[in-house]
Amino acid sequence: MAEELKPVNEDDFKQLKERMSLIASADPAQYHNDFSLKRYLRAFKTVDAAFQAVIKTNKWRSEYKVADLQNDSELIAKYSDKARVLRHRDLVGRPIVYIPAKNHSSSDRNIDELTKFIVYCLEDASKKCFEEVVDNLCIVFDLNNFTLSCMDYQVLKNLIWLLSRHYPERLGVCLIINAPTFFSGCWAVIKGWLDENTAGKVTFVNSEMDLCKYLIPDILPTDM
């Protein structure tokens, strides 16, 4: 089941929309649709904080050249085994970002390049959202054949930062599948970086039957 979205205060939403309309009328690149503005309000609580966060995101998107990442075929090919936005969706219609942890290693990547690839994946998945129905994502971390050498804490820190600052409320659920027992030590570290809301969206899936509550297992890649 999709989590019921927390309603936003309509007066706050109206104020934020009016403030953004003034900005967007002068610079159309600043435009955010209603769904996006409501996500920022849910995440940042107040009109002022949400407004400042939207402006910072717009500045970041421009400086980071987010729109150009989809054309960086070299980057996409180089890191294509690190994550994939699947063609299929989960049971409530969320786009799925699949991450095979076994293909990660802090000694086998350029952190700036890999972070750009993560942004590319988040962008690709976000564009696939049917926002009128569900406007968030399902991220699946597959820990099959995971070893401690695959544990790239910096990449996870970057992902958490991106989701909290520039893709607020885009995460609907994070599924961790095939986790070995020793991953509990890693999780104790990672959980400390998450706020209570985000940590509550992380689910350890311990069986195929449990996985079927979220998605059809056959849609997960076997070629990564």
Side-chain angles (χ1 to χ4, degrees):
M1 294 289 292
E3 180 185 1
E4 187 173 342
L5 294 177
K6 182 179 178 181
V8 300
N9 181 284
E10 286 302 317
D11 288 337
D12 287 349
F13 172 62
K14 183 179 179 181
Q15 288 183 47
L16 180 60
K17 188 172 182 177
E18 287 174 351
R19 290 172 71 171
M20 285 307 304
S21 293
L22 291 173
I23 300 292
S25 63
D27 179 6
Q30 301 286 331
Y31 173 77
H32 281 243
N33 65 28
D34 290 359
F35 300 104
S36 179
L37 295 180
K38 287 180 179 180
R39 285 194 298 273
Y40 276 84
L41 270 176
R42 289 191 196 98
F44 293 95
K45 312 303 183 189
T46 69
V47 174
D48 285 342
F51 178 75
Q52 291 299 325
V54 171
I55 296 302
K56 288 178 181 177
T57 289
N58 288 350
K59 184 173 185 289
W60 168 79
R61 291 181 66 86
S62 175
E63 293 176 348
Y64 205 69
K65 296 181 170 53
V66 171
D68 295 337
L69 292 177
Q70 63 182 341
N71 300 319
D72 193 339
S73 56
E74 183 177 346
L75 176 78
I76 295 168
K78 182 175 181 179
Y79 291 98
S80 62
D81 67 332
K82 305 297 186 186
R84 180 183 297 173
V85 178
L86 303 188
R87 183 166 55 90
H88 300 282
R89 300 169 183 272
D90 73 5
L91 294 183
V92 297
R94 300 184 189 98
I96 300 171
V97 181
Y98 175 79
I99 301 173
K102 67 180 181 180
N103 292 344
H104 286 258
S105 171
S106 60
S107 64
D108 184 30
R109 51 82 173 140
N110 176 295
I111 188 62
D112 294 329
E113 289 181 348
L114 185 50
T115 301
K116 283 186 176 182
F117 180 73
I118 291 170
V119 172
Y120 160 76
C121 290
L122 291 174
E123 283 290 301
D124 189 25
S126 296
K127 289 174 184 175
K128 289 178 165 58
C129 284
F130 299 136
E131 295 202 307
E132 296 83 355
V133 180
V134 58
D135 67 349
N136 50 48
L137 311 175
C138 171
I139 297 180
V140 178
F141 284 93
D142 188 348
L143 272 57
N144 187 40
N145 294 324
F146 172 83
T147 65
L148 287 177
S149 64
C150 304
M151 189 64 250
D152 194 337
Y153 286 111
Q154 188 58 56
V155 167
L156 281 177
K157 277 187 174 182
N158 290 5
L159 174 60
I160 292 165
W161 182 83
L162 286 165
L163 288 170
S164 64
R165 293 290 133 193
H166 300 311
Y167 298 88
E169 295 297 299
R170 272 299 193 192
L171 179 63
V173 65
C174 177
L175 305 178
I176 300 178
I177 65 175
N178 300 315
T181 304
F182 64 81
F183 182 73
S184 59
C186 303
W187 173 239
V189 175
I190 297 164
K191 190 175 182 180
W193 301 333
L194 305 176
D195 59 42
E196 184 178 354
N197 179 52
T198 304
K201 296 177 180 180
V202 178
T203 298
F204 282 81
V205 179
N206 298 313
S207 69
E208 186 168 299
M209 183 177 296
D210 286 341
L211 184 58
C212 288
K213 297 175 183 176
Y214 298 94
L215 53 82
I216 299 171
D218 288 349
I219 69 175
L220 299 180
T222 58
D223 60 341
M224 294 180 73

